[in-house]
Amino acid sequence: RKRPQKRAALHDAGYHNALLEATYRMNPSLIPQMQWEAFRSALLQPLPTTFRLSCADQAESSAIVSALNDVWGPFVERADASWGGLGDGGSAQGGDDTSGCAPPSALAGAEEPGAAALQGLVPKLTQIPYYCPRQSAWRLEIPRHVLRRPGPQKAFHEFLMMETEHGGLSRQEEASMVPALVADIQPWCKILDMCASPGSKTLQLLDLLWDSAGNASCSRIEQPSSTSLPTGYVVANDSNFDRCSLLITRTRRLIQCTPHLVVTSHDAGVMPMLRDQLSHVVQYDRVLCD
């Protein structure tokens, strides 16, 4: 069987979509005409690199926070255009070699304004201010594909990879963090994650479940830890069995949290009833379908 051709990176695909624009323009109730340019400009902005710290090991989390504040924060502040070609137009092509790239004047054209947005982008490492627990979610103001390029930023990329592998943090888009964050997870919650794979939200639910048991003040790093354990759990479901394997691989990194996780593979539309140790039908306190 032939291996499928490698898909082009998304940042190489271009930022102009006539069908999407026509769809919105035919429905002015979605985006009023006077807001269209601001809306379109927002869509063209490159997404930052974002990640969360694990709540299960407070000592390790505190060490990572110290490293981010004392080592990597100043490291990022010293960044310049050599970070993967920021500011010279090289990031528009998505490759590691910037030779032969279009000049900045060409990149500023209407067809590739997303590439132009990368020019002059200043790397900045900050906490996501609204995320709770505090100091648990961070944002780096450069796209992931730029972070992976050869250059001074490679050291920070390797730090993120190492901590992800060890379970100290989880890389996750900021928009993906919101659903679980607003679910008000409590230590007793029985949670159903209906479409769980690849597992970033499942990991977040486990983190929030664990954190809620030990720190109701929503300030895990600053408060002494508690020895209490959550009584709730997460049922993570995905209809694709192979994707469940990926889910298990990712969640296995959180050794402390895995006793609070059950992985199932069912059609979520006809999810079977589960029973607890007393044969009572499980009534979920929170259901995430995203």
Side-chain angles (χ1 to χ4, degrees):
R1 177 172 139 179
K2 289 185 177 181
R3 296 175 64 88
Q5 291 184 349
K6 186 176 180 180
R7 292 186 301 174
L10 291 179
H11 53 270
D12 292 338
Y15 288 79
H16 180 70
N17 189 316
L19 183 59
L20 180 142
E21 182 171 342
T23 300
Y24 275 99
R25 287 188 178 277
M26 287 189 300
N27 296 274
S29 60
L30 297 176
I31 304 295
Q33 182 62 33
M34 61 182 300
Q35 299 179 12
W36 170 254
E37 288 303 325
F39 171 71
R40 183 173 181 272
S41 177
L43 293 180
L44 296 174
Q45 296 303 311
L47 289 176
T49 299
T50 52
F51 55 92
R52 296 182 302 99
L53 273 60
S54 169
C55 295
D57 190 331
Q58 295 189 12
E60 182 176 7
S61 295
S62 297
I64 295 175
V65 168
S66 297
L68 292 171
N69 285 324
D70 301 336
V71 178
W72 296 112
F75 174 81
V76 171
E77 289 179 0
R78 295 192 297 269
D80 53 27
S82 63
W83 272 49
L86 285 179
D88 63 2
S91 54
Q93 303 300 317
D96 293 335
D97 185 357
T98 60
S99 60
C101 293
S105 58
L107 292 176
E111 292 302 312
E112 294 294 343
L118 289 175
Q119 299 184 40
L121 187 63
V122 179
K124 185 178 180 182
L125 180 64
T126 57
Q127 300 173 29
I128 297 177
Y130 59 82
Y131 195 90
C132 180
R134 292 193 293 272
Q135 303 188 71
S136 291
W138 293 72
R139 180 194 300 126
L140 177 63
E141 297 291 348
I142 64 171
R144 287 189 300 173
H145 74 271
V146 174
L147 188 63
R148 290 193 293 263
R149 291 175 170 220
Q153 76 279 13
K154 185 176 181 181
F156 185 63
H157 181 245
E158 291 177 347
F159 166 77
L160 294 180
M161 294 284 289
M162 178 186 68
E163 291 298 339
T164 300
E165 185 64 29
H166 294 167
L169 59 83
S170 177
R171 288 178 290 173
Q172 183 178 359
E173 296 288 357
E174 186 172 344
S176 174
M177 301 180 190
V178 175
L181 188 61
V182 300
D184 188 28
I185 303 301
Q186 300 298 322
W188 40 262
C189 281
K190 297 182 285 290
I191 308 164
L192 173 61
D193 188 356
M194 298 183 72
C195 311
S197 187
S200 58
K201 295 184 186 72
T202 302
L203 285 169
Q204 184 184 9
L205 290 169
L206 288 168
D207 276 333
L208 293 172
L209 187 70
W210 189 271
D211 182 79
S212 64
N215 186 9
S217 69
C218 196
S219 178
R220 167 179 52 83
I221 302 296
E222 301 170 3
Q223 297 290 334
S225 62
S226 170
T227 57
S228 61
L229 298 176
T231 57
Y233 50 84
V234 177
V235 177
N237 177 74
D238 198 277
S239 60
N240 188 306
F241 184 81
D242 291 334
R243 287 172 62 85
C244 283
S245 298
L246 174 61
L247 172 65
I248 292 172
T249 299
R250 291 194 66 182
T251 53
R252 190 178 293 158
R253 296 166 181 164
L254 288 180
I255 302 299
Q256 298 95 326
C257 293
T258 47
H260 302 273
L261 173 67
V262 177
V263 177
T264 63
S265 182
H266 289 280
D267 179 351
V270 288
M271 190 73 182
M273 293 186 298
L274 300 182
R275 295 182 180 273
D276 60 19
Q277 62 270 31
L278 299 178
S279 296
H280 297 153
V281 175
V282 172
Q283 299 289 326
Y284 294 105
D285 304 293
R286 306 287 188 271
V287 176
L288 178 63
C289 182
D290 184 14

